[in-house]
Amino acid sequence: MTWVLGISVAVLIGIGAPIFVALLFAASLALLLFPGPPLIALQQTIFGGLDAYALLSVPFFIFAGELMAISGIAGRLINLVRALFGRVPGSLGMAALGGSTLIGTICGSSAAAVAAVGRNMYPQLIDGGYGQRRAAGIITSSGAIDIVIPPSIAMILYGASAEQSIAKLFIAGIIPGIVMALLMAGYISISAFIARIPREANFRARVAWQAFKQAFWALTMPAFVMVGIYAGFFSPTEAGGFACAYAAFLGLVVYRTVTFRTLLGAAVSSAMMTARIMVVVAAAGVVSWVLTVEGVPQALIAATADAGLSPLGFLLTVNLLLLAIGCVLDPTSAILVLAPLLVPIAISLGIDPIHFGVIMTVNLAIGMFTPPFGLNIFVAQSVLGVPTSDIYRGVLPYMAVQIIALALITLIPALSLWLIHGMS
């Protein structure tokens, strides 16, 4: 049954079938061809897989991200970063990176960050002398940080599928997300200095203060969300609802850039995106259930023990596996299918499941802009109108930088766990 399941999924994905179709067809075929649970269990498992309180936060954070995109918050955050960096080499590129990182603290969607930052920053990067390839590389790769730094939709799905605390996962993603951003900022600055890209105007306190005032209310949104979660005022799901209400308030009342008509449009767009994610969640839940019934996780644990893999050897193997899978599957599908299989093995080897969740998320974040099929590449191509070949070449240096970040996060568990232990 396991072989039929795996081969069916691979073939269907290879011929271009949607992920949820491949997963549901493979699970149905396995149940039809082999004796075992009745086929009616398929329907029960589909709906049962969606019966998780943590998943309620997904549509909330998606809607908050949509509201952020239509309310002009992205542009205000980017202007603040530009004003703060002044004449630092590569300051315009770092503004794109910083804007993307700040957007990630609001919506947790990598594709949304690439679209928002791309529309705002790409023409300015071209005018600033970065060139088409370099500018596209910065924008496409910067969005990856958004699924690591909290609130992260990928971590919500990992927490739901691996039965781990989403609040702890959010805390664990803070330092790794900052590490990724700092390494990228360092590379952007050094490469801009070497390429002699013209610098922007000197830092001016008055301009920075004005940019801060314009972005202040946008900055308070992630602060309220994260403090509310960690202080115990509300759960991650309730925090998502608060983020929606607060984003709507900013757009309608504070910035007055959103009308009730555009608010309705954002709600419809968010509902469509939520449906696309949830149908994959349901289909992946069926596959995970079939594999569990077949005893695949237990067999993998036994095989790992027989192979004598050390925890570090297992993590390095998982990194190679996920880097390859990440450039073919989106993080949602990869996490929902692989987490139930890999987490029990990690726990059996003494690896902290929270640390392992961060490692999985960082791997799949890199996959988001890894050629040939990284999702961010196609989002950037659509938004920027740049040839895919130029984006491929533009992201290669940032892949190397983020793999260095992945190595640090893998080898130093304290980067993920220190804040959790400090708060406990």
Side-chain angles (χ1 to χ4, degrees):
M1 183 185 287
T2 303
W3 282 104
V4 168
L5 196 65
I7 293 172
S8 300
V9 170
V11 170
L12 287 169
I13 291 176
I15 64 176
I19 297 295
F20 77 92
V21 172
L23 295 174
L24 285 177
F25 178 84
S28 303
L29 185 64
L31 290 175
L32 283 171
L33 294 180
F34 297 92
L39 194 58
I40 194 173
L42 183 71
Q43 177 186 354
Q44 296 170 344
T45 307
I46 287 175
F47 290 99
L50 297 175
D51 187 17
Y53 178 70
L55 293 178
L56 287 174
S57 60
V58 173
F60 287 135
F61 283 116
I62 291 174
F63 188 34
E66 288 287 336
L67 292 174
M68 177 209 69
I70 65 174
S71 62
I73 291 177
R76 295 171 188 271
L77 294 175
I78 291 170
N79 289 337
L80 173 61
V81 178
R82 290 185 66 176
L84 291 175
F85 279 105
R87 283 187 52 87
V88 175
S91 59
L92 197 57
M94 285 192 282
L97 170 66
S100 182
T101 303
L102 289 174
I103 290 168
T105 66
I106 297 174
C107 70
S109 170
S110 181
V114 171
V117 174
R119 293 188 186 99
N120 280 275
M121 288 300 301
Y122 181 71
Q124 299 178 52
L125 289 168
I126 295 297
D127 293 342
Y130 281 75
Q132 181 172 276
R133 186 183 304 171
R134 189 189 302 267
I138 292 172
I139 291 169
T140 306
S141 57
S142 295
I145 299 172
D146 289 44
I147 69 169
V148 178
I149 205 158
S152 163
I153 293 173
M155 286 188 176
I156 293 171
L157 297 174
Y158 174 86
S161 60
E163 299 181 351
Q164 299 298 318
S165 166
I166 294 173
K168 287 185 178 180
L169 286 165
F170 280 2
I171 297 172
I174 294 174
I175 295 179
I178 293 173
V179 169
M180 295 171 72
L182 289 177
L183 287 177
M184 281 194 65
Y187 176 80
I188 290 171
S189 182
I190 292 171
S191 62
F193 178 78
I194 294 173
R196 297 183 179 180
I197 293 175
R199 304 186 187 188
E200 291 199 281
N202 287 328
F203 171 83
R204 288 181 291 177
R206 182 178 60 81
V207 174
W209 174 245
Q210 187 66 27
F212 174 77
K213 287 194 297 182
Q214 292 178 351
F216 173 77
W217 290 106
L219 292 171
T220 59
M221 181 172 156
F224 284 147
V225 169
M226 303 313 295
V227 170
I229 292 174
Y230 303 147
F233 295 132
F234 37 64
S235 68
T237 299
E238 293 164 342
F242 172 82
C244 290
Y246 194 67
F249 172 77
L250 292 183
L252 290 169
V253 179
V254 178
Y255 296 138
R256 297 183 180 180
T257 52
V258 175
T259 65
F260 284 104
R261 181 182 294 274
T262 55
L263 189 70
L264 179 60
V268 172
S269 177
S270 300
M272 296 293 290
M273 176 64 72
T274 300
R276 287 195 290 269
I277 291 176
M278 288 305 177
V279 74
V280 175
V281 172
V286 173
V287 172
S288 298
W289 173 76
V290 172
L291 292 174
T292 301
V293 169
E294 284 296 293
V296 173
Q298 295 83 351
L300 288 174
I301 292 173
T304 304
D306 292 340
L309 276 179
S310 66
L312 180 58
F314 171 73
L315 289 177
L316 293 177
T317 303
V318 166
N319 282 343
L320 294 174
L321 172 69
L322 292 177
L323 285 173
I325 289 176
C327 65
V328 179
L329 291 182
D330 62 280
T332 298
S333 305
I335 286 173
L336 293 169
V337 172
L338 296 176
L341 295 177
L342 297 177
V343 171
I345 303 174
I347 293 174
S348 72
L349 292 172
I351 299 169
D352 189 289
I354 299 296
H355 179 218
F356 187 72
V358 174
I359 292 173
M360 280 197 73
T361 305
V362 172
N363 270 289
L364 297 172
I366 297 171
M368 291 286 286
F369 64 93
T370 300
F373 302 120
L375 176 62
N376 284 2
I377 293 174
F378 299 109
V379 174
Q381 198 280 328
S382 174
V383 173
L384 308 180
V386 177
T388 307
S389 57
D390 281 351
I391 299 177
Y392 284 169
R393 289 193 287 269
V395 299
L396 289 178
Y398 301 100
M399 283 177 57
V401 171
Q402 296 295 28
I403 288 174
I404 293 172
L406 171 63
L408 293 174
I409 293 163
T410 301
L411 296 172
I412 309 174
L415 292 176
S416 303
L417 303 177
W418 179 71
L419 284 178
I420 296 175
H421 294 156
M423 293 181 180
S424 59

